[in-house]
């Protein structure tokens, strides 16, 4: 069937208009009383019926606007086979949903010419073997369509009001999606234009089932071959940046169409109010960052078992089959920079800010790639960026098993925290690993132990309670540089005599001799513990 500009205009006027299928109409009790028989176009019985039209005119096609089920006795067509064939073809050109012919005086049996024409056109043709009042069928179908339309519009307005209220109240976008999933009773997925998953909502097991083979079924849904999958485009100012998909919606399709449209409107409005909706690319990027952040946060916290997160990672575009994973945590002033460097280098992976200046990065490499060299390359390029000289890149060893990734991310986070506040962080190596943080890492692991906390308070009490709080940074630098007086004086921009006076004051306050290795080590450990607790 050819789609003309007029057809497209008809379809775009009310794409959500509720309809019954030809099959549903034929299943109605009143219709069954007429003993219907499908004689042509049986493979098209799922076509929507938008209206029922009783017509005996031979040129009825010019009166239709598409989607009508036409009822006729054919009284004006009897005896003229040319008219019969043209009548069916005109219905097809008008995109009628089906033709229902009541057998009787004009046609005691299904006319072969009309049957063949309908079969060629793919137009469902039904004959009624028993006399049947067309008015009853018209009344039945019209009332059902009106009820469906009213129910769909009511749902649309209720959902719009509810979502607008959530946006006004400042609800996060996930709250909106959860509400849409509740109304839909099926998983809801937001994707970019390349079918990568940006966000999901719905019952967790059902969502995971959808995501396990996401790309294949998403493309099927895009081609219209997936039953119950309803899409709505996301974008603004004429530029699309994503899609919202109701996955396996089981209700009336018109209602589902309305629900998807209202949800899409709300999501776009939410992004615009958040300041991300001025450009399609910006919106998509923001969604992708949120998706990566949600995944990496769940991995780090262990809130969701790693194996359950595998479908989400795959659907988000992260390669996971036969891969080696490198967990990284970056202490970075500009949290968007690691993701930009990843894209620039063409490295497969995801990056997202976890909190403050912590950015988690997960590289996904092929087994034959040199994970250590590529990690160093990424770190070097990242630290070569403007104002990134003091960026800390902490890494755990590569993981061949996805279930080991959470422990790796937590290890990298521990390393990043341990090194970031030390004096040596002024010039850290390109990639810092667990073996590089030595005592500092051990103390940080034990920072919540009450015995360690008590030890730190006891050892540093004289300085912590004293009026000269500027002595503590001097002590920190002096111990971190291996008690190098010249380097400490240089870093604090003071003369050697001035430094000596400060060191004497520190020793007097603490009651220790910093030239004694054991006493200096004790103070150093206490200071490391204090800094770890403050961090």
């Amino acid at each position: 069937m050819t789609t003309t500009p007029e057809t497209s205009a008809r379809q775009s006027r009310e794409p959500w208009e509720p309809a019954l299928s030809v099959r549903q109409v034929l299943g109605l009790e009143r219709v069954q009383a007429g003993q219907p028989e499908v004689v042509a176009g049986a493979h098209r019985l799922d076509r929507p019926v938008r209206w029922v039209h009783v017509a005996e005119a031979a040129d009825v096609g010019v009166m239709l606007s598409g989607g009508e089920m036409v009822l006729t006795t054919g009284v004006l067509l009897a005896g003229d086979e040319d008219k019969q064939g043209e009548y069916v073809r005109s219905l097809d050109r008008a995109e009628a949903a089906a033709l229902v012919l009541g057998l009787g005086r004009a046609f005691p049996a299904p006319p072969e010419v009309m049957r063949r024409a309908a079969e060629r056109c793919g137009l469902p043709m039904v004959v009624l073997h028993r006399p049947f009042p067309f008015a009853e069928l018209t009344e039945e179908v019209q009332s059902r369509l009106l009820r469906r339309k009213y129910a769909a519009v009511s749902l649309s307005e209720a959902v719009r009001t509810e979502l607008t209220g959530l946006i006004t109240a400042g609800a996060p976008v996930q709250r909106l999606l959860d509400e849409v999933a509740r109304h839909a009773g099926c998983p809801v997925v937001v994707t970019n234009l390349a079918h990568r998953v940006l966000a999901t909502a719905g019952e967790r097991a059902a969502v995971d089932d959808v995501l396990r083979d996401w790309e294949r079924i998403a493309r099927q849904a895009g081609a219209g071959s997936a039953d119950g999958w309803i899409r709505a485009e996301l974008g603004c100012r004429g530029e699309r940046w994503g899609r919202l998909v109701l996955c396996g919606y089981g209700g009336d399709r018109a209602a589902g169409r309305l629900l998807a449209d209202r949800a899409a409107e709300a999501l776009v409005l939410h992004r615009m109010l958040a300041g991300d909706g001025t450009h399609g690319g910006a919106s998509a990027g923001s969604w992708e960052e949120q998706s990566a952040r949600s995944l990496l946060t769940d991995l780090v916290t262990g809130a969701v078992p790693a194996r359950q997160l595998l479908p989400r990672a795959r659907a988000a575009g992260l390669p996971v089959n036969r891969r080696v994973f490198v967990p990284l945590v970056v202490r970075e002033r500009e949290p968007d920079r690691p993701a930009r460097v990843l894209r620039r280098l063409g490295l497969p992976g995801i990056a997202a800010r976890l909190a403050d200046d912590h950015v988690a990065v997960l590289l996904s490499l092929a087994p034959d790639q040199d994970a250590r060299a590529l990690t160093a390359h990424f770190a070097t390029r990242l630290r070569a960026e403007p104002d990134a000289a003091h960026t800390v890149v902490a890494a755990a060893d590569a993981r061949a098993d996805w279930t080991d990734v959470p422990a790796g991310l937590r290890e990298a986070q521990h390393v990043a925290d341990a090194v970031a506040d030390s004096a040596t962080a002024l010039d850290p190596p390109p990639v810092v690993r667990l073996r590089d943080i030595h005592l500092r890492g051990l103390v940080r692991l034990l920072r919540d132990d009450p015995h360690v906390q008590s030890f730190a308070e006891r050892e540093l009490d004289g300085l912590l309670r004293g009026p000269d709080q500027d002595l503590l940074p001097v002590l920190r630098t002096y111990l971190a540089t291996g008690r190098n007086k010249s380097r400490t004086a240089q870093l604090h921009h003071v003369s050697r005599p001035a430094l000596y006076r400060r060191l004497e004051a520190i020793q007097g306050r603490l009651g220790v001799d910093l030239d004694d290795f054991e006493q200096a080590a004790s103070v150093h450990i206490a200071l490391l513990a204090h800094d770890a607790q403050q961090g």
Side-chain angles (χ1 to χ4, degrees):
M1 181 168 54
T2 304
T3 301
T4 64
E6 294 76 17
T7 299
S8 299
R10 275 199 301 271
Q11 291 173 342
S12 63
R13 273 200 299 270
E14 287 188 304
W16 50 265
E17 188 165 349
L20 295 166
S21 68
V22 175
R23 191 186 309 277
Q24 288 173 315
V25 172
L26 296 181
L28 296 176
E29 186 176 348
R30 289 189 180 183
V31 180
Q32 287 295 309
Q35 294 184 357
E37 178 190 0
V38 179
V39 297
H43 61 293
R44 304 294 296 278
L45 295 183
D46 290 320
R47 298 176 78 175
V49 176
R50 191 179 57 82
W51 207 244
V52 177
H53 192 70
V54 181
E56 298 294 350
D59 58 349
V60 66
V62 299
M63 308 175 190
L64 306 179
S65 59
E68 294 89 352
M69 173 179 277
V70 177
L71 313 180
T72 184
T73 62
V75 66
L76 299 181
L77 303 175
D80 191 331
E81 292 188 349
D82 289 340
K83 277 188 177 181
Q84 294 169 23
E86 178 56 27
Y87 181 82
V88 172
R89 289 189 290 272
S90 72
L91 293 182
D92 178 59
R93 288 194 296 271
E95 295 191 346
L99 168 62
V100 178
L101 176 65
L103 300 181
R105 185 175 59 184
F107 292 103
E112 188 62 21
V113 172
M114 295 179 71
R115 191 198 67 76
R116 287 200 303 268
E119 192 65 50
R120 281 195 297 270
C121 294
L123 176 71
M125 178 175 171
V126 182
V127 296
L128 301 175
H129 288 278
R130 294 186 63 181
F132 183 83
F134 286 168
E136 289 188 12
L137 175 57
T138 303
E139 178 185 7
E140 174 82 7
V141 174
Q142 313 301 47
S143 64
R144 285 177 179 263
L145 289 176
L146 287 173
R147 287 199 300 271
R148 290 160 74 96
K149 185 170 185 176
Y150 175 76
V153 172
S154 297
L155 171 67
S156 169
E157 290 309 307
V159 170
R160 174 181 279 157
T161 300
E162 197 168 338
L163 295 182
T164 301
L166 289 173
I167 293 172
T168 304
V173 70
Q174 186 61 49
R175 178 73 179 85
L176 271 65
L177 289 175
D178 290 340
E179 197 60 28
V180 173
R182 185 181 69 81
H183 280 288
C186 67
V188 177
V189 176
V190 177
T191 77
N192 64 11
L193 297 181
H195 302 286
R196 289 191 175 183
V197 173
L198 306 180
T200 63
E203 198 273 320
R204 190 73 260 164
V207 171
D208 288 344
D209 285 342
V210 167
L211 296 184
R212 280 192 182 92
D213 197 12
W214 169 253
E215 186 165 344
R216 180 184 62 81
I217 56 180
R219 294 185 185 280
Q220 283 184 349
S225 59
D227 187 33
W229 284 55
I230 300 175
R231 302 193 311 166
E233 301 298 327
L234 299 173
C236 60
R237 301 188 181 184
E239 185 172 0
R240 294 185 302 121
W241 54 265
R243 299 182 182 92
L244 177 140
V245 188
L246 305 184
C247 306
Y249 181 75
D252 177 73
R253 188 167 184 84
R257 175 74 264 164
L258 272 175
L259 177 58
D261 287 346
R262 295 297 84 82
E265 290 172 4
L267 294 182
V268 171
L269 176 61
H270 189 283
R271 301 310 302 163
M272 292 179 69
L273 292 177
D276 297 321
T278 56
H279 186 274
S283 293
S286 174
W287 279 93
E288 288 169 351
E289 198 278 337
Q290 286 188 27
S291 175
R293 183 175 185 178
S294 173
L295 176 62
L296 289 169
T297 299
D298 285 347
L299 282 169
V300 170
T301 61
V304 181
R307 195 169 299 280
Q308 292 183 24
L309 294 171
L310 197 57
R312 280 171 57 188
R314 184 184 293 111
L318 184 73
V320 294
N321 294 331
R322 294 186 296 279
R323 308 294 287 188
V324 172
F325 304 99
V326 182
L328 308 170
V329 169
V330 180
R331 294 289 296 263
E332 166 66 79
R333 295 174 183 172
E334 188 179 335
D336 295 334
R337 185 152 41 199
R340 289 202 306 269
V341 173
L342 269 185
R343 289 192 294 269
R344 197 177 304 147
L345 296 178
L347 287 173
I350 55 176
R353 182 172 60 180
L354 295 180
D356 299 328
D357 57 353
H358 287 66
V359 180
V361 180
L362 183 60
L363 301 181
S364 175
L365 306 176
D368 59 348
Q369 290 181 290
D370 190 332
R372 192 168 283 269
L374 288 174
T375 303
H377 182 50
F378 166 74
T380 301
R381 287 291 296 270
L382 181 62
R383 296 184 64 196
E385 293 282 303
D387 301 321
H390 299 322
T391 293
V392 174
V393 180
D397 290 337
R399 263 62 175 171
D401 190 330
W402 172 259
T403 58
D404 292 335
V405 168
L409 284 169
R410 287 192 289 271
E411 178 183 312
Q413 188 173 34
H414 165 67
V415 172
D417 287 341
V419 74
D421 296 328
S422 70
T424 55
L426 296 173
D427 188 24
V431 180
V432 186
R433 301 180 187 276
L434 190 60
R435 66 179 65 88
D436 299 319
I437 58 176
H438 307 296
L439 178 62
R440 183 177 300 275
L442 175 63
V443 171
R444 193 168 189 87
L445 283 175
L446 300 175
R447 63 180 174 175
D448 294 327
D449 188 299
H451 297 291
V452 174
Q453 295 171 356
S454 176
F455 169 76
E457 290 293 317
R458 185 172 62 252
E459 288 288 302
L460 300 175
D461 181 64
L463 281 183
L464 296 178
R465 291 191 299 108
D468 299 327
Q469 293 300 311
D470 60 331
L471 294 178
L472 200 62
V474 173
L475 174 63
R476 183 181 293 110
T477 304
Y478 179 62
L479 296 174
T481 58
R483 295 182 292 174
N484 186 320
K485 294 182 176 65
S486 298
R487 178 63 173 156
T488 302
Q490 181 183 19
L491 289 173
H492 284 272
H493 307 289
V494 297
S495 65
R496 290 281 293 267
L499 175 66
Y500 293 157
R501 288 194 294 272
R502 294 186 186 185
L503 291 177
E504 288 174 1
I506 291 171
Q507 292 181 107
R509 294 274 181 82
L510 298 180
V512 298
D513 179 5
L514 293 179
D515 289 329
D516 181 87
F517 175 78
E518 185 174 337
Q519 294 182 55
S522 180
V523 172
H524 194 185
I525 293 172
L527 186 58
L528 291 176
H530 170 76
D531 289 346
Q533 291 156 17
Q534 296 301 309

